[in-house]
Amino acid sequence: ASGDGVAAVALMDALKIPGDLRAVILDMDGVVIDGMPYHQRAWKEAFATAGIEVTDTDIYLKEGMDQMETVVQISREKGVSLSNQDMNKVIALKNRILNSIFKIRLIPGSTKFISRLKGLGFRLALVTGTEKNVVERVLREEAALKGIFNVVVTAETVKRKKPDPEPYLKAVELLGIEKGHCLVIENSPAGIASAKRAGLTCLALTTSLPENYLREADYIFHSLEEVLKLFNQEV
């Protein structure tokens, strides 16, 4: 509806999203695919072998972070001291479990949203802390995502993971587009922090965590359908 279009333009102005937006950078889990339930289950089972019980929120709050940093922080939070060898065992087991149970499920509205962006001529980047083999499987097996991203940044692309700005700075560099022409869509505190520290405008989705954990984002949305209204051209 035209009213939605007017509201969308007003919102884009309010968010200080430039009219000459040229690239949209997307996190993967929780934005494009619904992969976090598999990461959660894998982490829970792996931590249990080290005598550590974790909640869904414990895992969501570490989403996108380096795996070793995740183990270090959670073991510290739970008051359990693990050796480097034990921590590496937890990580190796988590990855084995994830690879055995992982299935590709799309976030509602994600393919419609991405195809809309592509149709409007935006360059697209995917920035994730997930390992390259899992990312390649997603991009290979999900027909709607095949060849859609101009740039892909995985866990192996960078030395420092989210919340460090390096993953998003790398995406901007590979896109060859200035920061002021880029928009990030995230769903985790670490990812939002990474984007903001990289000097980028960041929208957050409440697909994993409620709003109170996402306050560092420039604006918070509850679904990609809501974000799609920003790109409604019927003004």
Side-chain angles (χ1 to χ4, degrees), residues 99-117:
N99 284 325
S100 69
I101 65 173
F102 185 80
K103 290 183 176 63
I104 301 166
R105 298 189 307 187
L106 293 163
I107 288 288
S110 64
T111 53
K112 181 181 178 183
F113 179 69
I114 291 168
S115 64
R116 175 69 166 151
L117 295 179

Side-chain angles (χ1 to χ4, degrees), residues 17-232:
I17 296 172
D20 55 352
L21 183 67
R22 294 170 55 199
V24 180
I25 309 173
L26 305 163
D27 175 42
M28 187 173 79
D29 291 296
V31 175
V32 178
I33 65 165
D34 187 17
M36 279 310 292
Y38 302 111
H39 285 276
Q40 278 181 331
R41 181 176 153 193
W43 274 124
K44 282 181 177 179
E45 291 183 19
F47 272 117
T49 65
I52 298 175
E53 186 178 335
V54 294
T55 67
D56 290 353
T57 302
D58 289 332
I59 302 303
Y60 278 136
L61 289 173
K62 304 295 185 284
E63 182 183 343
M65 289 175 56
D66 175 72
Q67 292 193 114
M68 180 57 79
E69 188 61 26
T70 295
V71 177
V72 168
Q73 287 195 18
I74 285 181
S75 59
R76 187 186 300 140
E77 288 164 9
K78 302 298 180 181
V80 177
S81 180
L82 297 178
S83 67
N84 277 346
Q85 185 180 10
D86 287 339
M87 288 193 281
N88 281 317
K89 280 182 182 175
V90 168
I91 291 168
L93 180 56
K94 181 262 176 179
N95 288 329
R96 281 204 303 277
I97 295 168
L98 179 67
N99 284 325
S100 69
I101 65 173
F102 185 80
K103 290 183 176 63
I104 301 166
R105 298 189 307 187
L106 293 163
I107 288 288
S110 64
T111 53
K112 181 181 178 183
F113 179 69
I114 291 168
S115 64
R116 175 69 166 151
L117 295 179
K118 200 75 173 176
L120 290 170
F122 292 111
R123 286 176 65 76
L124 301 177
L126 189 70
V127 175
T128 177
T130 299
E131 284 63 40
K132 185 180 179 183
N133 66 308
V134 177
V135 178
E136 286 182 340
R137 181 180 155 194
V138 170
L139 298 181
R140 183 175 64 247
E141 294 182 13
E142 181 51 57
L145 301 178
K146 200 171 288 185
I148 202 104
F149 293 101
N150 303 99
V151 165
V152 177
V153 174
T154 69
E156 290 85 353
T157 311
V158 292
K159 289 179 182 173
R160 295 177 299 278
K161 313 298 190 294
K162 303 171 185 179
D164 191 275
E166 187 182 348
Y168 281 107
L169 290 173
K170 188 66 176 176
V172 170
E173 176 194 329
L174 293 172
L175 282 166
I177 294 173
E178 292 179 10
K179 293 178 190 178
H181 302 300
C182 300
L183 173 69
V184 172
I185 302 177
E186 262 286 354
N187 73 308
S188 72
I192 294 164
S194 175
K196 294 308 298 174
R197 289 173 194 176
L200 294 160
T201 299
C202 182
L203 308 186
L205 296 175
T206 57
T207 47
S208 301
L209 291 164
E211 290 186 23
N212 56 302
Y213 291 107
L214 310 173
R215 297 291 182 199
E216 202 180 336
D218 293 285
Y219 207 85
I220 300 169
F221 291 84
H222 298 293
S223 69
L224 282 172
E225 284 89 347
E226 281 186 20
V227 183
L228 186 59
K229 291 178 183 177
L230 290 176
F231 299 92
N232 184 342

